[in-house]
């Protein structure tokens, strides 16, 4: 009898089934409980012997139930762990890394070249005041140079006119940063200023309404045109190698005198053939610009420091350098945001 019960307990398929067996055997009206209660009806000698036997059986059943319950609980836990398992070794969803725009890369390279020569990189606002973009750069109203810079004018939103008492425009070049920097800094210094510029022009393969320039400005005592040429030659060699040369052609910009357009001699390493690349404008800072800066400084309560100073400035087009380097035939490709184009310029990481 006991062996059958023990076998039944060991085979109980679930905790519920095991509990049912326990109640049936050891519950208030359980089979073994009934027998224990029936002990009193036995003669005294048989009662002792049977009592010992039944109590032993009860302990054996209780131990078996406890051990089977432990097994069943462990099995249930193992099943739950298996069912709820997370495979953390599954590969994740691909998350493509971003990349600097090709023009940002070229601008960064240019800024780096000048930083290694001791220049500081500074920034100016894209929404600029007419004064900094034109007047202070010796381009007074009605000056023909203003026509050459077809300008996007900004109109304050209705109700905000008082916040913007002076006319704002999208800067047509990075040269206004020259005036901004000089109005708050003491010479001597060397700066470059990269950034976006805007022209209200029809677009074609070589013209965009938005493009990038790098402006340079060096001010100190006895700065000469030779210093300008040396700086641009160093840049050209860093960009195109030791064979690079720089040529100046006389030109006119209101804020420099003399003014030049500069071109760089570039030899194609594959064909060995060379050509002159026109990269930008440059010159010696015009005395009128220094005068306007000093006037502005005095308005701000700062000492005028620029009368009699010397300096050179240059400005170059970044798209042009990138187009020549990567044989991009159409400037508009830079701003169409087509990944098939942009992904050609992914940097190795
Ligand atoms: N700001 C001129 C432009 O956008 C370029 C330029 C010419 C910049 C001569 C200069 C300079 O600093 O000296 O066309």
């Amino acid at each position: 009898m006991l062996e059958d019960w023990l076998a039944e307990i060991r085979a109980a398929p679930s905790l519920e089934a095991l509990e049912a067996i326990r109640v049936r055997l050891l519950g208030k009206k359980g089979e073994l409980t009934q027998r224990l209660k029936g002990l009193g009806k036995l003669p005294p000698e048989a009662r002792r012997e049977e009592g010992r036997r039944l109590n032993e059986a009860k302990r054996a059943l209780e131990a078996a139930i406890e051990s089977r319950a432990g097994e069943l609980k462990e099995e249930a836990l193992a099943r739950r762990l298996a069912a709820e398992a997370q495979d953390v070794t599954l590969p994740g969803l691909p998350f493509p890394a971003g990349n600097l725009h090709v023009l940002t890369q070229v601008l960064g390279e240019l800024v780096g070249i000048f930083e290694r020569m001791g220049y500081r990189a500074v920034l100016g606002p894209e929404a600029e005041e007419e004064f900094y973009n034109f007047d202070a750069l010796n381009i007074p109203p009605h000056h023909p140079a203003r026509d050459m810079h077809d300008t996007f004018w900004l109109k304050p939103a209705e109700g905000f006119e008082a916040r913007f008492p002076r006319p704002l425009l999208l800067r047509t070049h990075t040269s206004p940063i020259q005036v901004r920097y000089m109005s708050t800094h003491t010479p001597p210094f060397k700066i470059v200023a990269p950034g976006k510029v805007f022209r209200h022009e029809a677009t074609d393969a070589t013209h965009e309404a938005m493009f990038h320039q790098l402006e340079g400005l060096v001010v100190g005592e006895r700065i000469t045109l030779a210093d300008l040429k040396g700086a641009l030659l160093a840049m050209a060699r860093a960009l195109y190698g030791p064979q690079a040369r720089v040529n100046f052609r006389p030109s006119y910009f209101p804020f420099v005198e003399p003014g030049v357009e500069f071109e760089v001699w570039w030899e194609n390493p594959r064909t060995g053939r060379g050509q002159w690349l026109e990269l930008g404008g440059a010159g010696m800072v015009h005395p009128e610009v220094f005068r306007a800066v000093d006037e502005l400084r005095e308005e701000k309560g700062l000492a005028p420091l620029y009368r009699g100073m010397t300096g050179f400035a240059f400005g170059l087009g970044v798209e042009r350098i990138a187009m020549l380097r990567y044989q991009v035939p159409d400037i508009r490709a830079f701003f169409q945001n087509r990944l098939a184009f942009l992904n050609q310029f992914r940097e190795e990481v």
Side-chain angles (χ1 to χ4, degrees), residues 8 13 57 83 107 109 179 204 240 246 268 281 284:
E8 204 183 333
L107 254 184
E109 184 182 331
V179 180
D204 61 31
Y240 298 118
V246 172
N268 186 324
M284 303 306 292

Side-chain angles (χ1 to χ4, degrees), residues 149 172-175 178 199 211 213 215-216 253 255-256 260 280-284 312-316:
H149 294 214
T172 59
H173 51 177
T174 43
S175 302
Q178 295 185 25
R199 305 256 173 110
F211 53 101
Q213 289 186 337
E215 190 80 13
F253 301 96
F255 39 93
V256 284
V260 300
M284 303 306 292
F312 67 73
F314 60 86
L316 53 90

Side-chain angles (χ1 to χ4, degrees), residues 111 132 166 169 238 267:
V111 168
Y132 289 101
R166 285 181 294 274
L169 48 80
E267 276 174 21

